[in-house]
Amino acid sequence: MRMLAQGQAATGFATPRLVTDIAACHFYHSFDLPGLGCVEGEWDLRGDIDGYLGYAPFAGRRVLEVGPASGFCTLAMEQRGAEVVALELPDEPGWDFVPYPEARLAPVLGPRREVMDGVKNSWWFVHRLHGLRARQVVAHAAEIPPLAGQFDLAVLASVLLHCRDPLGVLQACAQRARGLIITEVFCPDLEGRPVCALVPDDANFHWGTWWRFSSDYFVQILRVMGFHVRPAVISAQRVRQPGGYLDDYRVFCLVAERP
Amino acid sequence: MTPGDKAWPARHQAPRLRAAFGADDPDTVLGRAIAGSIRRCGQGDVLFLPALDPAREAAILAAAIQLAPSPRPWVVRAASAAAALPPGSFAAAVLTAGPAPPFAEIASLLHPAGRLLVDASLLPASCRCWPEVLPLLRHIWQGLPWDLRFDRRLGRLDPWLEGADYNPDLAPPVAPLDPLPALRAAFTPEAWHAWGGLTELLFGDRFGANYRDGEPTHRVFFARVQALEDHLLATGGTTPTRLLGVFRPGASVPTALPPGWARPLRPLPPLDLVRLGFDSPFASPPLPPLVSAPPGVVTWFGAAGRGPLMLRWGWSSPERDLTWAVGRRSALAFICPPGVGRLTLRSHGYLPGTEDSGRQVVVRLNGAELGVIIHPAEAPSQEIQWPLPPGLLRPEGNLLEFDSPGSHPAAPPPGTADRRPLSFALVSMEVR
């Protein structure tokens, strides 16, 4: 008998969380929420969500969104006519932590679990306020439940940099979707070569981010997998820094579809 | 990186030299030509311009002596090609390095049956290709596997062919330094082989050792680049960057001139590679990225802005607040939502003199003319808005082209060393 992930209904889709208190939410994305106004998150995609998603057409398409965070892309894609299924991490084992020594990681684990819970709450909060139809599946991206079905597009926006095995996740999504959208931070120093760079080292303690990628890295592997890849779209997105100020991040987005 | 084979480019160049001279390498070509000159003139005086390193000189003379043992060559060495030339009547003069010497004077020093032998770069020291081929080279470059773009001299990847020694922005004005007009005014070519800057750069000392015999694609690529270079030289797309040739005194008659020895008036845009029939044997490269231009957000073309990522061809390196268009034609690409209805450009004209035609820039979007930017002397900075007809913008990306027929390559402002053919600078762009 297949074990259901926490919060997973027998249909394969997550049981909606009823979140009515904004204080229970941690907003990863900034929003203009009905009746509440502007809520600021770490990433403000409001200025150029089309660029962030590579100007892909969404009308009438079934979309698997891996790692929806607070749901700004969920909202945008649904507003553009997509049927969205969001794939959220289970609480356990949860985040793909970089294997720093246990003693060093221990102080991070509890707070991170709380943040993740707040982020998941924010997705359901936005879902309720905007009356979204999107559904959620709880699973690791490399193990997408068959019940979720097949998709026109799988969206991996700022997700693969956090995955220990990004190509495994990519392959799993490619098996379930005819098209892929990949958005990552643009790294000019890596461009021109099909490479990625390991981010964490013993000094920086980047426990949650594994990789920086060149766009060529994904273009090459997507072509290997039989996808036709459109030119990368570069957009500028505002990201809140630890000091509270907003900085422009350049991101690239690749839209790939099988012929 | 695997250990490099420095002889790879020379080995693959050999058939061309054999066809032109009956010898596989430049030293043998020069040696045989010296021997022929000595035989014709009945004397052995040979002038080297400038002196060569002893090992190379010995190799050339050995090749000469093998064919013409008597009279023995008697070598006179000039300090440089431009130094005061020694008096005499020489059977041969061997030019192996710049700067361009006084060809007429060399001709007067040669025996009537003597020959000028050239194995030299024709470029100023700071250049490795003529600027007009650089857009083509950079386009080809971006399609190469990364291991072929590894700079052996600097020990690092060169992702964009960005080295200063082939940056046209840094090159002195090329026309006054082009020695070919003076050469052909004093000499007529007998046998020659010319390089056009493509093979010299792509397979030169920086990158040539990246190629391997075991990779058939490498050989195919070399042959196709050679063919493209030959085509450009033959059709006036560029002029020689390096010559290996045998010249007899006396001005070239027009029919004897190698074709394509006149400088082209404008660079070839990279898209012309398709028209030129060049087909890379490597997997097609990722297309250049398209920068998103969301409605209401100004894109700046200063070095720190997003605008420089939009640039395609015909631009100088971005400066702090703007980017200058270089030469007559330039272009940029962007992507934006289809519903926008207005394009705003802020630009600055380059007005070094009084020539009115240099103040106008024709702007086209996806091939359709939007209008003309006029930069009057009293207001060189302009902000122009154009309505965008429905259907003009393309969902897959847009090409904005600029045509400024009156760029000013020959009239830099007094007191500046900047000799770029500037026409106008782009400051910002916005769609709404």
Side-chain angles (χ1 to χ4, degrees):
Chain A
M1 181 180 162
R2 181 181 159 76
M3 296 291 289
L4 294 175
Q6 188 180 1
Q8 196 104 320
T11 59
F13 294 101
T15 307
R17 290 185 186 187
L18 181 60
V19 183
T20 55
D21 183 4
I22 196 170
C25 301
H26 180 104
F27 281 90
Y28 181 77
H29 297 135
S30 296
F31 285 91
D32 295 311
L33 291 175
L36 293 172
C38 175
V39 177
E40 291 190 346
E42 284 144 85
W43 280 70
D44 187 349
L45 308 177
R46 291 174 295 179
D48 193 9
I49 184 63
D50 289 313
Y52 188 75
L53 295 172
Y55 289 89
F58 289 105
R61 307 185 95 179
R62 191 161 192 266
V63 176
L64 175 69
E65 184 191 9
V66 179
S70 295
F72 192 83
C73 295
T74 317
L75 172 65
M77 292 188 290
E78 190 164 314
Q79 286 175 336
R80 285 157 178 74
E83 175 200 340
V84 181
V85 173
L87 187 71
E88 184 53 277
L89 279 173
D91 292 340
E92 296 296 340
W95 194 263
D96 233 354
F97 285 100
V98 173
Y100 282 103
E102 277 183 31
R104 206 169 170 196
L105 267 183
V108 173
L109 299 178
R112 183 62 195 171
R113 197 170 290 120
E114 284 178 22
V115 166
M116 285 299 292
D117 197 51
V119 171
K120 291 173 184 177
N121 283 342
S122 70
W123 191 87
W124 287 110
F125 189 77
V126 170
H127 190 276
R128 184 177 63 80
L129 282 187
H130 277 281
L132 297 182
R133 293 176 291 110
R135 290 183 290 178
Q136 193 180 91
V137 169
V138 178
H140 191 277
E143 301 161 356
I144 305 165
L147 283 169
Q150 291 296 122
F151 296 89
D152 296 307
L153 284 170
V155 175
L156 296 144
S158 301
V159 164
L160 294 173
L161 76 166
H162 299 302
C163 297
R164 180 200 311 258
D165 176 17
L167 294 187
V169 171
L170 200 62
Q171 195 175 357
C173 290
Q175 287 168 354
R176 305 301 291 275
R178 288 191 291 113
L180 294 171
I181 295 178
I182 298 169
T183 301
E184 289 291 341
V185 173
F186 181 66
C187 304
D189 58 316
L190 300 183
E191 287 296 308
R193 292 172 289 167
V195 296
C196 59
L198 185 67
V199 171
D201 61 35
D202 56 339
N204 65 23
F205 195 48
H206 281 311
W207 48 263
T209 299
W210 288 79
W211 310 106
R212 298 189 304 129
F213 303 98
S214 70
S215 60
D216 307 77
Y217 175 87
F218 290 115
V219 171
Q220 188 160 325
I221 189 63
L222 288 167
R223 285 179 172 179
V224 166
M225 295 162 77
F227 285 90
H228 169 77
V229 189
R230 293 191 209 168
V233 172
I234 295 177
S235 64
Q237 308 294 342
R238 309 202 82 191
V239 181
R240 190 165 300 282
Q241 298 301 302
Y245 67 95
L246 289 168
D247 197 5
D248 270 356
Y249 271 34
R250 286 175 190 167
V251 301
F252 69 82
C253 180
L254 293 167
V255 179
E257 299 200 61
R258 288 200 176 92
Chain B
M1 297 299 298
T2 52
D5 177 0
K6 290 186 176 178
W8 194 95
R11 211 163 46 243
H12 289 267
Q13 185 73 51
R16 292 298 191 85
L17 301 189
R18 205 177 306 134
F21 303 102
D24 284 2
D25 65 274
D27 289 359
T28 308
V29 169
L30 296 178
R32 288 185 178 191
I34 289 171
S37 297
I38 290 174
R39 269 203 305 260
R40 278 192 305 275
C41 300
Q43 64 168 37
D45 291 359
V46 178
L47 174 64
F48 275 82
L49 298 163
L52 282 173
D53 75 81
R56 188 170 183 213
E57 183 181 300
I60 293 170
L61 293 176
I65 291 166
Q66 197 175 8
L67 288 175
S70 179
R72 302 285 278 189
W74 178 261
V75 174
V76 177
R77 302 172 185 91
S80 81
L85 297 176
S89 175
F90 296 95
V94 184
L95 174 65
T96 52
F103 288 109
E105 191 178 341
I106 294 173
S108 71
L109 293 176
L110 283 174
H111 184 283
R115 294 291 182 265
L116 170 66
L117 316 178
V118 177
D119 179 19
S121 170
L122 304 174
L123 291 161
S126 59
C127 293
R128 290 165 65 93
C129 68
W130 292 117
E132 61 264 16
V133 301
L134 202 72
L136 295 176
L137 272 169
R138 287 204 162 123
H139 196 73
I140 294 170
W141 192 250
Q142 288 171 40
L144 296 181
W146 75 269
D147 56 329
L148 297 184
R149 291 180 280 168
F150 189 84
D151 187 330
R152 298 255 170 191
R153 192 193 293 172
L154 299 180
R156 63 167 180 77
L157 181 83
D158 185 345
W160 307 110
L161 196 59
E162 61 196 0
D165 57 349
Y166 29 78
N167 184 341
D169 294 351
L170 305 176
V174 290
L177 290 172
D178 186 349
L180 285 172
L183 174 62
R184 75 183 179 194
F187 289 93
T188 298
E190 281 189 342
W192 60 282
H193 179 74
W195 289 260
L198 280 77
T199 49
E200 280 262 273
L201 208 155
L202 292 171
F203 306 97
D205 57 343
R206 285 171 181 262
F207 308 107
N210 294 334
Y211 294 83
R212 295 177 295 278
D213 272 334
E215 294 281 356
T217 319
H218 290 185
R219 296 198 298 273
V220 170
F221 178 60
F222 185 82
R224 291 183 185 176
V225 171
Q226 266 188 334
L228 174 64
E229 187 172 65
D230 289 348
H231 180 75
L232 290 172
L233 287 167
T235 57
T238 190
T239 48
T241 56
R242 181 185 160 201
L243 269 182
L244 177 61
V246 180
F247 296 81
R248 67 170 182 271
S252 303
V253 293
T255 51
L257 276 178
W261 282 23
R263 297 204 62 73
L265 296 177
R266 67 177 180 88
L268 295 165
L271 295 180
D272 275 13
L273 272 175
V274 177
R275 183 177 59 77
L276 295 168
F278 180 79
D279 180 21
S280 172
F282 298 106
S284 58
L287 294 166
L290 288 164
V291 174
S292 175
V297 176
V298 178
T299 298
W300 299 97
F301 287 85
R306 271 182 301 153
L309 290 168
M310 292 183 175
L311 305 179
R312 286 298 186 264
W313 60 81
W315 303 94
S316 184
S317 299
E319 296 178 15
R320 196 186 70 175
D321 299 319
L322 45 72
T323 300
W324 287 101
V326 179
R328 175 170 172 171
R329 290 177 175 84
S330 48
L332 58 85
F334 64 96
I335 188 167
C336 69
V340 303
R342 200 171 60 195
L343 173 75
T344 304
L345 293 176
R346 285 181 63 211
S347 62
H348 190 87
Y350 182 66
L351 307 167
T354 56
E355 195 180 333
D356 283 340
S357 62
R359 301 168 182 178
Q360 299 189 3
V361 182
V362 180
V363 182
R364 296 184 184 88
L365 179 62
N366 296 329
E369 185 170 324
L370 289 179
V372 178
I373 305 175
I374 298 173
H375 298 105
E378 64 276 13
S381 293
Q382 289 291 310
E383 179 174 309
I384 306 274
Q385 290 187 2
W386 287 292
L388 300 177
L392 184 56
L393 289 167
R394 295 174 181 163
E396 70 274 18
N398 304 288
L399 188 68
L400 192 62
E401 294 175 280
F402 303 88
D403 186 353
S404 43
S407 57
H408 297 267
T416 174
D418 189 342
R419 304 292 296 256
R420 293 172 296 176
L422 304 177
S423 68
F424 74 100
L426 200 53
V427 178
S428 69
M429 185 190 92
E430 182 184 359
V431 293
R432 277 189 183 275

